[in-house]
Amino acid sequence: MILITSAAGQTGTRIIRLLVARGAAVRGFVQSEASADKVRALGAQAFRGDLRDAQALGDAMRGVERLYHIAPTLSFREHEMGRGVVDAAVRAGLRHFVLHGVMAPYLQNINYHFAKELIQWDLYRSGLPYTVMLPTNYMQNVNWTWPTIVERGEWQLPYDPERRLTWVDLDDLAEAAANVLTEPDHAYGTYELCGSNSFLSRVEIARLMSNALGREVRAVKVPVEAYLDACRRMPFFSRMRTEELDQIRAMFTDYDEYGMPAGNAKVLSMLLGRPASSYAQFLQRLAEAWRKGAGAGGSALTHYGLPSLD
Ligand SMILES: NC(=O)c1ccc[n+]([C@@H]2O[C@H](COP(=O)([O-])OP(=O)(O)OC[C@H]3O[C@@H](n4cnc5c(N)ncnc54)[C@H](OP(=O)(O)O)[C@@H]3O)[C@@H](O)[C@H]2O)c1
């Protein structure tokens, strides 16, 4: 049995789908009944609980051999939750703990990065066989601004369009996670994960978007406060605390100054047994899904919502 936390999110659902297709028994740790339904519809068991509840974590880990821990997006309790999951895994005697971390977890100025570094320390000291996945920015994050890109030919984000970051296709990442959970010999590995030729500026990606869409797309920098206001109006972010949303400002401030010069596609390609997808390949798929009318609900896209500064 494999337990996945934050199972109903965009990462968890993709991993569950692949594991179930391989015949693995999967249990999804979720909070709400709606999420439990989502997980059951994928062919997994659902366990409802709060990641801060030690008793619930212990109950969810009964009969479990392997675990994939994903922290909820931007939670300020991320380290507390992660430490609780590690402690429960030790008590339950799990054979393999896989942590969904983040590229450059050592960025102390961004809480959701450094919380993952702290959980890595907890795992290191736990005595558990572990693997750490360090994915860079999901290519699928472009969904946040996709309608403005398609309709206005503008990619609006609050950081310098010339700064380069690395990117990963979430579908590749899910496949690599499923491999790590079902293959032997991944214990004590820490894997930085990014796509092929993916160290790109938004100016370079906008050129790829122009090719994929057959219309000119320009990458523009918008004021960070206006961007945050737009986020606050979206259902996904509106329930977050001020400190949680502040992480978005910290993240874009860091990108604006340094980009994200971290990650190399060799690791993900090794885990997949084929070259990791490039941003150009992802965009071709996305543009095709959009043309077929899949729109914002399409499976190539994320579910966060669609902030627009209009
Ligand atoms: N986006 C990126 O580019 C990127 C890149 C690298 C790493 N990451 C990391 O990936 C993780 C997010 O993955 P995701 O986007 O797949 O997640 P997500 O879609 O935001 O899913 C979050 C899930 O967490 C559950 N949840 C929230 N609070 C909970 C609690 N107290 N107890 C139990 N469950 C709770 C929610 O369940 P309910 O619906 O039942 O409430 C929700 O389904 C984050 O740690 C992020 O830092 C993201």
Side-chain angles (χ1 to χ4, degrees), residues 5-13 29-36 38 49-52 70-75 78 81 100-103 112-113 116 134-139 141 144 167-168 170 173 236 239-240 255 302-304:
T5 59
S6 296
Q10 56 176 341
T11 313
T13 48
F29 192 98
V30 293
Q31 216 175 194
S32 64
E33 189 51 33
S35 292
K38 208 163 154 186
D50 192 304
L51 280 167
R52 291 163 296 182
I70 304 169
T73 298
L74 298 179
S75 169
E78 180 165 344
M81 286 177 184
H100 189 74
V102 71
M103 185 71 75
Y112 76 86
H113 275 250
K116 290 176 176 67
L134 301 177
T136 191
N137 302 278
Y138 299 170
M139 293 174 187
N141 292 347
W144 299 9
W167 298 89
V168 67
L170 179 50
L173 169 58
F236 183 81
R239 58 189 149 93
M240 287 184 182
Y255 291 173
T302 69
H303 65 288
Y304 288 120

Side-chain angles (χ1 to χ4, degrees), residues 68 78 99-117 120 132-138 141 164-169 173 190-196 198-199 251 254-255 259-269 271 276:
Y68 194 89
E78 180 165 344
L99 174 66
H100 189 74
V102 71
M103 185 71 75
Y106 37 76
L107 294 177
Q108 295 193 26
N109 47 329
I110 309 174
N111 181 74
Y112 76 86
H113 275 250
F114 201 61
K116 290 176 176 67
E117 176 95 345
Q120 278 184 245
V132 181
M133 312 289 274
L134 301 177
T136 191
N137 302 278
Y138 299 170
N141 292 347
R164 289 201 160 107
L165 278 68
T166 50
W167 298 89
V168 67
D169 183 339
L173 169 58
T190 298
Y191 301 141
E192 289 188 334
L193 304 168
C194 77
S196 299
S198 79
F199 186 44
M251 174 184 86
D254 209 74
Y255 291 173
M260 187 178 278
N264 184 296
K266 281 184 192 293
V267 184
L268 181 54
S269 303
L271 291 176

